[in-house]
Amino acid sequence: MSDVHRPIFDLPFEGRLASFDGATAWLNSPPLTPEGLRGKVVLVDFWTYTCINWLRTLGYVRAWAERYADSGLVVVGVHTPEFPFEGELDNVRWASKEMRVEYPIAVDTDYAVWNAFGNRYWPAIYLADTEGRIRYHHFGEGEYDETELAIRQLLREAGAAGVGHDLVSVPNEGLEAQADWLHLESPETYLGYQQGRNFVSTGDAGFDRPHTYAATETLELNQWSLSGEWTIESGAALVNRAGASVVFRFHARDVNLVLAPPAADVPVRFRVTVDGREPGDGHGLDTDEHGDGTIREPRVYQLIRWRGPTADRTFEITFLDAGARGYVFTFG
């Protein structure tokens, strides 16, 4: 029997669908409640819009919301911010429109819904049956087939007809493209001192105050260094003067970086190189073949999507204007 026709594994009772009362706003929907969702199969998806791990799941969640809506599935996205700018409603509204997140969104700025669910992860999926009982969960990426099979089983338990047997197929492109897991050897790396690691400096680092750095000449894999004037803050690194740069020794297909301009109407230009050269056809969505790009919104920027063989390489981003903040490198 093929996987798409076999019964899913046991879906035990894991608790009750928690309240959304703590949401500070709702997008795409009036406020929803567990009581009002009775009779529906509910998929709750915890996300924050700069999270690359969530972005790589979005195509599947979007496809499930579209395919199974008429069969009785309701998808609720709970946007719980990681970075301060993700807590601003206008940014969430812009990002959800840009990313085509069209199902109901509970804006969870104060972490009230996160805490009500006892959640600890981005992304995190919880599936509840028509009686409001949580029957399945998955944290992180992957298990797309298993999650869809669980959705279909709960819909069939509710008597839905025409659920079908084939699994959704989603485009593997842009920021939603799956990581090249076989060759990925670089981890998520924060630039703020609270969660930062593998930072190499030629002298004492100056936290929470301007400090001039000189780039380290030799970096081992996954080490990074600063050059120019920066302020390393708890959750980010601030560019104080034009010409400042970050150098990172990485091993991956994609290089992404969460960046924010100093204000909505103050763009910041930057340039990236790989092994000291323009990226050419290895540029990302947010750079051209010369490595040039501009920060206009606080979001994740795809700087490199390498087309050739994956190897240890040296990435550098130089900021041509002051005022940008860098938060976290992610790789794919």
Side-chain angles (χ1 to χ4, degrees):
M1 182 178 293
S2 69
D3 285 346
V4 296
H5 292 91
R6 66 174 171 80
I8 191 63
F9 41 80
D10 184 39
L11 298 179
F13 170 47
E14 299 180 1
R16 307 294 306 186
L17 189 64
S19 172
F20 303 108
D21 285 350
T24 54
W26 283 83
L27 301 177
N28 305 330
S29 170
L32 300 176
T33 65
E35 295 76 21
L37 289 166
R38 289 290 176 86
K40 299 288 188 179
V41 173
V42 181
L43 187 155
V44 178
D45 181 39
F46 281 88
W47 64 295
T48 189
Y49 78 81
T50 65
C51 177
I52 193 64
N53 307 99
W54 170 77
L55 278 162
R56 293 195 288 244
T57 71
L58 174 57
Y60 290 91
V61 177
R62 186 192 297 118
W64 297 330
E66 293 172 355
R67 171 174 287 191
Y68 298 113
D70 291 343
S71 299
L73 177 69
V74 175
V75 173
V76 180
V78 179
H79 185 275
T80 310
E82 179 174 12
F83 302 116
F85 61 80
E86 291 177 300
E88 298 177 18
L89 182 58
D90 285 346
N91 288 337
V92 182
R93 184 179 288 112
W94 166 83
S96 61
K97 184 176 180 180
E98 187 77 10
M99 297 173 179
R100 296 190 297 115
V101 184
E102 297 171 350
Y103 43 79
I105 300 169
V107 181
D108 187 32
T109 304
D110 297 331
Y111 277 64
V113 182
W114 175 282
N115 290 329
F117 275 78
N119 187 55
R120 296 293 180 269
Y121 305 99
W122 296 283
I125 283 176
Y126 299 87
L127 267 180
D129 63 20
T130 56
E131 297 180 28
R133 302 175 300 181
I134 293 176
R135 301 279 300 281
Y136 174 88
H137 71 271
H138 178 67
F139 303 141
E141 300 176 61
E143 292 194 11
Y144 304 115
D145 291 357
E146 292 85 347
T147 301
E148 187 170 1
L149 289 168
I151 292 169
R152 292 212 300 237
Q153 178 167 316
L154 294 183
L155 290 172
R156 289 193 178 108
E157 286 181 9
V163 173
H165 297 288
D166 59 317
L167 300 173
V168 299
S169 177
V170 302
N172 192 42
E173 59 189 17
L175 285 169
E176 296 179 20
Q178 300 306 295
D180 180 10
W181 297 111
L182 186 62
H183 302 106
L184 178 55
E185 298 180 16
S186 290
E188 181 178 64
T189 301
Y190 288 83
L191 302 187
Y193 61 78
Q194 185 175 34
Q195 295 176 272
R197 58 177 172 174
N198 297 332
F199 174 59
V200 179
S201 173
T202 56
D204 295 335
F207 295 158
D208 290 321
R209 60 182 175 83
H211 187 81
T212 300
Y213 296 88
T216 302
E217 292 186 6
T218 302
L219 294 176
E220 296 181 3
L221 181 62
N222 298 324
Q223 289 183 335
W224 59 283
S225 182
L226 298 177
S227 177
E229 188 175 309
W230 293 80
T231 298
I232 301 180
E233 303 169 336
S234 173
L238 169 65
V239 178
N240 290 317
R241 291 182 181 273
S245 66
V246 187
V247 183
F248 198 115
R249 187 72 171 164
F250 76 101
H251 189 114
R253 180 195 65 199
D254 300 344
V255 178
N256 311 304
L257 180 57
V258 175
L259 294 163
D265 58 348
V266 184
V268 174
R269 299 166 299 151
F270 63 84
R271 179 168 297 145
V272 305
T273 62
V274 177
D275 293 335
R277 297 185 293 275
E278 295 179 352
D281 65 1
H283 68 89
L285 291 171
D286 296 299
T287 52
D288 62 19
E289 64 272 19
H290 303 296
D292 292 328
T294 303
I295 307 167
R296 300 186 186 278
E297 308 91 12
R299 61 178 176 87
V300 59
Y301 287 75
Q302 186 191 88
L303 306 176
I304 297 295
R305 170 152 289 173
W306 201 251
R307 268 66 177 181
T310 303
D312 292 3
R313 301 185 189 279
T314 299
F315 167 86
E316 183 170 11
I317 179 169
T318 301
F319 296 90
L320 307 183
D321 305 295
R325 278 182 168 83
Y327 290 83
V328 60
F329 277 101
T330 59
F331 301 88

